[in-house]
Amino acid sequence: MGNEVLKVENISKQYRLGQFGTGTMSHDVNRWWHKIRGKEDPYLKIGDVNDRSISGGSEYVWSLKDINFDVKQGEVLGIIGKNGAGKSTLLKILSQVTTPTTGEVKVKGRIAALLEVGTGFHPDLSGRENIFLNGAILGMSKAEIKLKLDEIIEFSGVAKYIDTPVKRYSSGMMVRLGFAIAAHLEPEILIVDEVLAVGDAEFQKKCMGKMKEVSGEGRTVLFVSHNMPSIRALCSSVMILKNGKLISIGETNEMISDYLSSETKSIKNEEGVIPDNLSLYNTGEAKFTQARILTLNQTPTTELFFKQNFILEFTIDVFKQITDVNISIFIVNAFGENILMAVENEMYKPTSFDKGTHTYSITFSDHLMPGEYSIGLAISYFHTGNSIDHVESFYNFRILKETETKDMEYPWATVHGYTKPHTKWSKK
Amino acid sequence: MKNQKENWDLIIRPHTKWYDLRLSEILNYKDLLFLFVKRDFVSVYKQTILGPAWFFIQPIITAITFTVIFGNLANISTDGLPPVLFYLCGITLWNYLSDTLIKTADTFTANASIFGKVYFPRMIVPLSVVLSNLIKFGVQFLLFIAVWVYYLITQTTVHPNLTLILVPFLILLMGFLGLSFGIIISSMTTKYRDLKFLIAFGIQLMMYATPIVYPLSIVPQKYKWLILANPVTSIIETFKYAFLGVGEFNWLYLLYSLCFTCVLFFLGLVIFHKVEKSFMDTV
């Protein structure tokens, strides 16, 4: 059992919605009046859960509610959740940018937060001057920065421009320099908020390497990201936040698949009716209304056996005659990437539709590896590429590890790849 | 294990005791303080042709304007002193206070983007303003000294005296007074911005309530207490007395200014500290 270096107890954070103005004053006065009489803040009792989509009655909202967790030394904890789940608020509290409304956080060692790269860069100062300034803002001493200056400049890859004012930098260079400084911080606890999502591929690789190195040195890292592959690559455990509440905390892979399946679990109906808000383009020309997976004997399902053939069925409503269009069907993996694309016309030629409702059923043979998938649908004009309707990820389904006849099972814990080609092996 | 558990380096709580100001933390960030000073100093005059010469131009133009308007047109007495010297003397020290006050008064609103991303003792920012303005004051002070020496040699009306040893103390008082007003205003403007509108003309009013464009000696006895209630008055008067030999120097008045500054500074620290913890939610 390692040492706890961070202990979060009953943290909650309340925010007031809307504008501050004359109306705010009366609440302040009321709050103050309760306080001097030794009573509890009247506005702490109210407040809605944090859910953007539902407009609540209260002006107050709990951005975080009763969060409890511990982090042990050397642990790399990933924090995932939808936008507005409270991730940033939690990081803000941990990095002391704001205080919690209730609760306590206990910290052992120096804590440094990287909520943004290049905070406090002054556009008129040179790269070198800004290294010192930004380093000091992040809590490094001048001597410490001097010691690491060459290393930072080298890591950033902007050595040539180091004496040029940063306002002449490209945004990529600015980010590189910012991250280079932050990467050379040596706090016991490092809090990182999605800063890896910037820069080109080469630099991102470098950042990931650096992050791994940091955690390898036995330092504790809290890492917020929407990018599941980086969470998977870096974190030893993961915490899921939803509407300001801690849903679960545990082993990385388990949490990620829990999270991803809960994300779309809301569409439970095996009818596969596509809700309106999933359509990305409302051109009024056509709209996908339904999509689902069926077994070969026409039963709707969300679970398929390994190597099982299946049918993808979808319906499109066409509101007026459209020509020169193309429908593409995607199989989408758990990270939202399209791993398969199928088109109606295998010669890749445009098609046209009459007004009315069209239902297609597409038979797939055993191409998918075990894992979580969903369906993506797109209709666009063939030659211009303009979208008519697009559903990015809908109807989660799962390929199990065992086969339908139970005669075999995919043997390993890790599944490599998403698709399974039909190959013929011959020995020479 | 039990003992070790209590051994936390930092505890983040919703409420801390009002006297827990965490001042020692500022020492850990002293490098940042000096880097901020350097940044302010270097960046202001980047991409200007005259550069630091602007430090001189500003007080000279003001002194000349005052000479023309208050000296020549309004005929306000300068206690028999050369008007340029008289005005420059007051302006130099006054500018230190007003520059510091104005700049520290928007500490929270102007730095919200940095404060929202990184924690460091927020007090570093207003302190850096006090220091960078001290440098600016130093440069303007040299200008004043040059003018003063010129008149000292060419005229007999200027009578410096031993009170001069109080000058560093007066400068310190001015700096802290500006800082204290500034941090209080900045703390009070995070949620309600109303006060911000007051600053610009508040500073003007305060300047006219301070014997800068007129000597204290021409203030009617009936209203003198009003001018003396202004804590800046005795600082300016002592400063003038030390260099020029005119004006009123009174230990009691000076003590009043000192006490006023101390109380205000302490009050400012407490309010500032209370606000710095949660201002991100209201700014």
Side-chain angles (χ1 to χ4, degrees), chain B residues 238-252:
Chain B
T238 313
F239 191 75
K240 278 186 187 167
Y241 179 75
F243 281 100
L244 312 176
V246 298
E248 247 171 271
F249 169 60
N250 186 323
W251 283 106
L252 206 65

Side-chain angles (χ1 to χ4, degrees), chain A residues 13 28 104-105 107 109 142, chain B residues 9-10 12-14 31 192 281:
Chain A
K13 177 79 187 173
D28 282 353
E104 231 173 54
V105 181
V107 186
K142 212 169 168 178
Chain B
D9 294 324
L10 170 74
I12 303 167
R13 286 198 178 95
D31 286 341
Y192 302 105
D281 308 336

Side-chain angles (χ1 to χ4, degrees), chain A residues 148-164:
Chain A
K148 290 180 190 151
L149 188 64
D150 294 335
E151 224 177 303
I152 294 175
I153 296 175
E154 208 223 286
F155 186 89
S156 71
V158 296
K160 198 173 161 192
Y161 306 95
I162 205 65
D163 290 309
T164 308

